[in-house]
Amino acid sequence: MDEHELKRATDVGLEQREADKRTVERLQVIGLRLSCVALLFGFCGWLLEKL
């Protein structure tokens, strides 16, 4: 593997790592939103029980 191929492989690895970070951040945001929705539904259900 020559120097050019090695640099290309390193660049591809860094790009993949950045893409993985963005994917993880998106999944965390989705998880947070789902948790908020679940809490909201739970709170609404609790209020309906109290009525």
Side-chain angles (χ1 to χ4, degrees), residues 26-41:
R26 278 192 208 118
L27 289 175
Q28 287 173 340
V29 168
I30 291 170
L32 183 63
R33 288 179 182 166
L34 287 175
S35 297
C36 290
V37 168
L39 283 173
L40 184 65
F41 276 115

Side-chain angles (χ1 to χ4, degrees), residues 3 6 20 28-29 31-32 44:
E3 195 173 313
L6 187 60
D20 289 346
Q28 287 173 340
V29 168
L32 183 63
C44 288

Side-chain angles (χ1 to χ4, degrees), residues 4-28:
H4 179 71
E5 289 175 337
L6 187 60
K7 182 174 180 350
R8 177 73 183 132
T10 303
D11 290 346
V12 168
L14 289 174
E15 289 173 13
Q16 186 62 46
R17 198 173 306 147
E18 286 299 316
D20 289 346
K21 284 182 187 175
R22 286 191 298 272
T23 301
V24 168
E25 289 170 359
R26 278 192 208 118
L27 289 175
Q28 287 173 340

